[in-house]
């Protein structure tokens, strides 16, 4: 029995000669909230479009609940709801009519539309033309459209784009509720780690089409090694002295150097090393990188 | 089949507030209405010519048939094919449409069928309104001779021919509007095609019937009765077969274009 809602096997995709996705092996466990992270242009939206069979890929590279998307397209799509890029809604129809039209296509009762309008807080704007909605309202309508068929798997491409802080919290809570109470699997893409780490159970980090990290959020935190921050009267000379002793310099900014260390004794040794070489040490201390910097580190390496 | 039907219903639901849908109703009402008004207010002048029933009907219905067949039908088809596809281009909804659990052929066929249906409704209204307003004029101005001839057979034959003759243009324009999201390309090609069609049909170039845009004009001109009975002309002539062949062929090609198309 396959435990993955989404699985891709060595998935690659090119636009002409440009490589967009390279050997991607996504494993999204059932019931998880999978944060799909990457900077703009990393290939997130392309991946989501591939998962929806909008972009053509070879057989046996994309599996939805264990079924190949190419050979079981309709069966797979029945289990999926999606919001890709900006929500695609008919501007000349009202919010309610947009939902009605989708309900018509999917054979869903009309009353479900009202329930969803209420759920995403668009009750009052139900009869307003969707073209006149603010970006946040469009986003909510897009989410309502994605939820209409009560799918087991939700693909949400930057769903909090354009939402105000309240809206972001609401969507976050909605995602948690859907996953916990209704056992939905959610793949949510974002370029902001801070936004994802509050909801996601699993994280995949993609950059330039390649998956750089995949695993539970706790595994990502384990990667987060603390650094030693030192300020001296001569940072350049200090770097030379430390490098000669084989100490790894992580980075340097205007006033400080950041390096790796093992333990407290090691800190004292580093301090002594600098002092005996005639360097004035103004400050020395440990610093924990936040996940955001870790994310930047991971994505800047490839 | 059920998927096709719900996709067709959805096409109606989406477009029922757009000009593409309303034009199918407004065009016949407006054109036939103004001709009827013309016949009402100019009755004295027209009555002087003492037309027998059939000629009077020919004058009356010919006015709308000619305007419609020569100019408005091609342009309506160009605009409508654009509008039905543009509803998805403009709102960036191809991606949602094709990520629904519906087969792609149903979605495509429903769009095409809806375009055909709109032309059918438009021409049916032309036929119905022409027919009814003739009798309305008769009741308002009893001196008219509309009552002496029943034009239903000849009118229905003309409009049926016009309907089939538009399928070629529709299929070309449908593909152009499917590929391109902007109005200028399909409109430009359609405009040039229509002008070329009218010219080649009017100079009776022998290959004109192979130009889809020329077929409505040819259709109106070539409906010559075989014998003494003016109603005795064929609906299905060579040009109509060519138009239908264009329609079928391009419908199939359009589907393959769509299936190969990546939805970006």
């Amino acid at each position: 029995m396959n435990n993955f809602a989404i699985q891709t096997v060595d998935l690659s995709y090119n636009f002409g000669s440009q490589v967009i996705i390279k050997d991607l092996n996504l494993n999204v466990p059932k019931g998880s909230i999978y944060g799909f992270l990457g900077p703009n242009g990393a290939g997130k939206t392309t991946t989501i479009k591939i998962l929806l069979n909008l972009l053509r890929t070879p057989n046996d590279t994309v599996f939805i609940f264990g079924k190949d998307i190419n050979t079981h397209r309709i069966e797979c799509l029945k289990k999926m709801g999606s919001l890709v890029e900006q929500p695609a809604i008919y501007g000349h129809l009202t919010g309610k009519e947009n939902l009605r039209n989708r309900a018509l296509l999917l054979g869903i009762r009309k009353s479900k539309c009202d329930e969803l309008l209420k759920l995403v807080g668009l009750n009052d704007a139900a009869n307003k033309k969707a073209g006149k909605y603010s970006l946040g309202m469009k986003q909510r309508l897009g989410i309502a459209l994605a939820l209409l068929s009560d799918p087991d798997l939700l693909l949400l491409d930057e769903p909090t784009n354009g939402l105000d802080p309240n809206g972001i919290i609401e969507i976050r809570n909605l995602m948690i509720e859907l996953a916990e109470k209704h056992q939905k699997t959610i793949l949510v893409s974002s370029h902001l780690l801070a936004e994802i780490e509050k909801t996601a159970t699993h994280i995949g980090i993609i950059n330039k089409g390649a998956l750089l990290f995949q695993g539970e959020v706790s595994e990502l935190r384990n990667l987060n090694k603390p650094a030693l921050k030192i300020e001296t009267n001569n940072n350049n000379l200090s770097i030379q002295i430390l490098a000669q002793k084989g100490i790894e310099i992580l980075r340097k900014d205007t006033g400080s150097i950041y390096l790796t260390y093992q333990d407290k004794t090691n800190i004292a040794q580093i301090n002594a090393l600098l002092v005996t070489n005639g360097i004035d040490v103004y400050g020395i201390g440990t610093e924990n990188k936040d996940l955001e910097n870790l994310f930047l580190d991971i994505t800047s390496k490839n | 089949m059920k998927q096709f039907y719900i996709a067709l219903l959805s096409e109606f639901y989406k477009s029922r507030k757009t000009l593409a849908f309303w034009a199918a109703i407004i065009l016949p009402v407006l054109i036939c209405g103004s001709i009827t008004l013309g016949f009402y207010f100019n009755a004295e002048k027209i009555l002087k010519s003492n037309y027998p029933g059939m000629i009077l009907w020919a004058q009356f219905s010919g006015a709308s048939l000619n305007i419609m067949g020569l100019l408005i039908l091609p342009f309506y088809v160009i605009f409508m094919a654009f509008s039905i596809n543009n509803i998805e281009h403009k709102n960036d909804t191809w991606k949602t449409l094709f990520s629904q659990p519906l087969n792609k052929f149903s979605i495509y066929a429903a769009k095409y069928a809806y375009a055909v249906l709109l032309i059918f409704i438009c021409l049916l209204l032309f036929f119905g309104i022409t027919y009814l307003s003739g009798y309305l004029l008769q009741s308002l101005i009893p001196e008219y001779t509309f009552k002496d001839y029943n034009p239903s057979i000849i009118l229905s034959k003309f409009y049926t021919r016009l309907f089939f003759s538009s399928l070629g243009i529709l299929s070309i324009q449908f593909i152009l509007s499917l590929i391109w999201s902007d109005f200028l390309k399909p409109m430009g090609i359609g405009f040039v095609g229509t002008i070329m069609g009218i010219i080649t049909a009017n100079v009776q170039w022998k290959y004109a019937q192979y130009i889809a845009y020329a077929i409505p004009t040819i259709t109106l001109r070539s409906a010559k009765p075989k014998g003494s009975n003016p109603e005795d002309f064929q609906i299905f002539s060579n040009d109509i077969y060519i138009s239908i062949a264009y329609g079928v062929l391009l419908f199939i090609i359009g589907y393959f274009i769509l299936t190969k198309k990546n939805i970006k």
Side-chain angles (χ1 to χ4, degrees):
Chain A
M1 186 68 195
N2 193 323
N3 279 324
F4 295 116
I6 301 172
Q7 194 172 28
T8 66
V9 181
D10 297 331
L11 175 68
S12 294
Y13 188 82
N14 308 333
F15 278 138
S17 60
Q18 195 189 355
V19 179
I20 308 289
I21 304 289
K22 208 166 54 191
D23 299 327
L24 189 72
N25 289 293
L26 273 187
N27 291 313
V28 179
K30 283 180 192 164
S32 65
I33 300 182
Y34 187 99
F36 193 39
L37 274 168
N40 290 330
K44 300 185 298 282
T45 302
T46 305
T47 306
I48 290 180
K49 285 186 176 175
I50 289 171
L51 296 177
L52 287 166
N53 201 229
L54 291 172
L55 301 176
R56 297 166 59 79
T57 48
N59 282 358
D60 294 327
T61 49
V62 178
F63 297 90
I64 305 294
F65 292 107
K67 299 256 165 76
D68 177 21
I69 185 96
N70 281 341
T71 49
H72 297 81
R73 179 176 168 270
I74 291 182
E75 199 183 326
C76 292
L77 290 177
K78 266 188 188 162
K79 293 181 183 160
M80 298 160 88
S82 61
L83 169 69
V84 187
E85 291 173 313
Q86 303 89 348
I89 47 185
Y90 297 103
H92 66 286
L93 301 179
T94 67
K96 196 175 191 169
E97 285 169 339
N98 266 287
L99 280 163
R100 285 262 171 99
N101 177 54
R102 184 67 66 79
L104 185 73
L105 278 175
L106 299 172
I108 292 164
R109 65 195 156 83
K110 282 183 192 168
S111 57
K112 186 84 196 280
C113 303
D114 297 320
E115 288 169 27
L116 279 162
L117 282 167
K118 210 168 154 189
L119 181 77
V120 296
L122 282 176
N123 245 355
D124 297 335
N127 296 316
K128 192 175 160 182
K129 281 206 170 142
K132 298 217 162 83
Y133 278 10
S134 68
L135 184 57
M137 289 161 91
K138 284 181 183 169
Q139 207 73 11
R140 286 158 195 268
L141 183 59
I143 291 169
L145 284 164
L147 289 172
L148 190 64
S149 63
D150 197 19
D152 292 331
L153 171 62
L154 266 174
L155 305 181
L156 304 176
D157 190 11
E158 313 212 350
T160 52
N161 227 353
L163 293 184
D164 53 22
N166 271 335
I168 294 176
I169 294 168
E170 280 170 29
I171 297 299
R172 204 181 281 159
N173 293 341
L174 180 65
M175 283 197 285
I176 295 173
E177 189 187 318
L178 286 169
E180 285 179 358
K181 285 197 195 154
H182 305 279
Q183 284 79 47
K184 309 275 180 208
T185 308
I186 303 173
L187 179 133
V188 52
S189 83
S190 177
H191 55 271
L192 300 171
L193 177 72
E195 185 191 306
I196 293 289
E197 65 167 312
K198 296 198 174 67
T199 42
T201 56
H202 293 70
I203 284 196
I205 298 178
I206 184 176
N207 193 24
K208 295 179 188 163
L211 199 59
L212 305 179
F213 170 86
Q214 178 168 244
E216 292 184 20
V217 179
S218 55
E219 289 174 53
L220 184 66
R221 288 187 209 278
N222 289 342
L223 284 180
N224 194 5
K225 282 184 282 183
L228 187 65
K229 180 183 175 187
I230 305 176
E231 287 174 57
T232 68
N233 65 333
N234 190 340
N235 283 347
N236 288 335
L237 183 60
S238 306
I239 290 172
Q240 274 181 26
I241 297 163
L242 293 164
Q244 277 167 11
K245 287 281 171 193
I247 295 165
E248 189 191 347
I249 313 292
L250 291 171
R251 64 184 189 278
K252 112 181 197 196
D253 57 28
T254 44
S256 317
I257 320 166
Y258 299 84
L259 30 123
T260 53
Y261 73 101
Q262 276 95 43
D263 47 33
K264 283 181 179 172
T265 332
N266 192 219
I267 298 176
Q269 285 165 348
I270 289 169
N271 187 32
L273 175 71
L274 291 173
V275 173
T276 50
N277 279 286
I279 303 276
D280 295 339
V281 178
Y282 301 145
I284 190 162
T286 59
E287 192 177 68
N288 264 321
K289 236 183 306 174
D290 54 15
L291 281 181
E292 202 63 54
N293 274 326
L294 180 69
F295 170 54
L296 284 175
D297 266 8
I298 292 175
T299 51
S300 63
K301 269 182 194 154
N302 81 322
Chain B
M1 199 60 205
K2 194 186 166 217
Q3 291 195 359
F4 169 77
Y5 174 68
I6 56 172
L8 190 64
L9 271 186
S10 165
E11 285 304 319
F12 166 69
Y13 191 82
K14 280 187 286 195
S15 72
R16 74 199 198 290
K17 287 181 180 174
T18 63
L19 193 61
F21 173 73
W22 282 103
I25 294 163
I26 292 168
L27 273 178
V29 171
L30 210 67
I31 293 174
C32 295
S34 21
I35 292 166
T36 306
L37 285 178
F39 268 69
Y40 179 75
F41 289 109
N42 287 325
E44 266 180 50
K45 214 167 130 193
I46 296 163
L47 281 169
K48 271 183 200 153
S49 310
N50 248 339
Y51 290 130
M54 197 173 79
I55 305 292
L56 185 65
W57 271 110
Q59 293 280 337
F60 180 63
S61 60
S64 52
L65 255 175
N66 278 324
I67 300 174
M68 185 60 194
L70 294 183
L71 216 57
I72 293 178
L73 181 69
F75 282 110
Y76 174 61
V77 170
I78 292 168
F79 166 71
M80 195 253 304
F82 162 76
S83 184
I84 286 181
N85 286 296
N86 187 250
I87 217 172
E88 315 297 346
H89 288 306
K90 187 175 70 188
N91 297 305
D92 200 10
T93 37
W94 284 115
K95 60 186 183 202
T96 39
L97 203 53
F98 287 110
S99 56
Q100 300 312 311
L102 298 168
N103 69 55
K104 290 182 184 176
F105 183 74
S106 299
I107 296 172
Y108 169 73
K111 265 200 181 298
Y112 187 87
Y114 186 64
V116 174
L117 196 66
L118 282 184
I119 298 177
F120 181 79
I121 290 171
C122 182
L123 293 176
L124 186 70
L125 283 175
F126 261 106
F127 166 76
I129 296 173
T130 305
Y131 188 78
L132 291 177
S133 49
Y135 284 104
L136 176 73
L137 280 171
Q138 179 68 60
S139 66
L140 294 173
I141 300 164
E143 293 84 3
Y144 269 143
T145 51
F146 284 112
K147 62 180 182 309
D148 299 344
Y149 180 74
N150 183 349
S152 56
I153 291 175
I154 197 161
L155 270 184
S156 57
K157 275 187 161 181
F158 260 115
Y159 276 110
T160 308
R161 279 175 63 84
L162 211 50
F163 169 69
F164 284 117
S165 74
S166 68
L167 294 182
I169 306 179
L170 175 70
S171 307
I172 295 175
Q173 291 300 135
F174 197 83
I175 289 187
L176 296 179
S177 303
L178 191 72
I179 300 172
W180 289 312
S181 57
D182 67 324
F183 184 54
L184 283 179
K185 286 191 199 103
M187 180 66 199
I189 294 172
F191 185 78
V192 172
T194 305
I195 301 296
M196 235 172 70
I198 293 174
I199 293 171
T200 49
N202 278 334
V203 299
Q204 296 181 351
W205 186 45
K206 60 178 174 174
Y207 298 114
Q209 59 180 344
Y210 295 103
I211 301 172
Y213 298 90
I215 297 176
T217 311
I218 295 171
T219 296
L220 285 179
R221 288 178 186 269
S222 68
K224 299 256 164 56
K226 274 190 276 178
S228 53
N229 185 357
E231 291 170 4
D232 188 21
F233 64 87
Q234 276 182 313
I235 289 180
F236 292 100
S237 52
N238 240 358
D239 46 314
I240 295 294
Y241 282 127
I242 292 170
S243 177
I244 294 173
Y246 265 124
V248 173
L249 192 69
L250 292 170
F251 172 75
I252 297 167
I253 293 174
Y255 176 63
F256 281 103
I257 291 177
L258 191 76
T259 51
K260 300 286 171 216
K261 189 180 171 178
N262 280 324
I263 312 290
K264 286 181 186 159

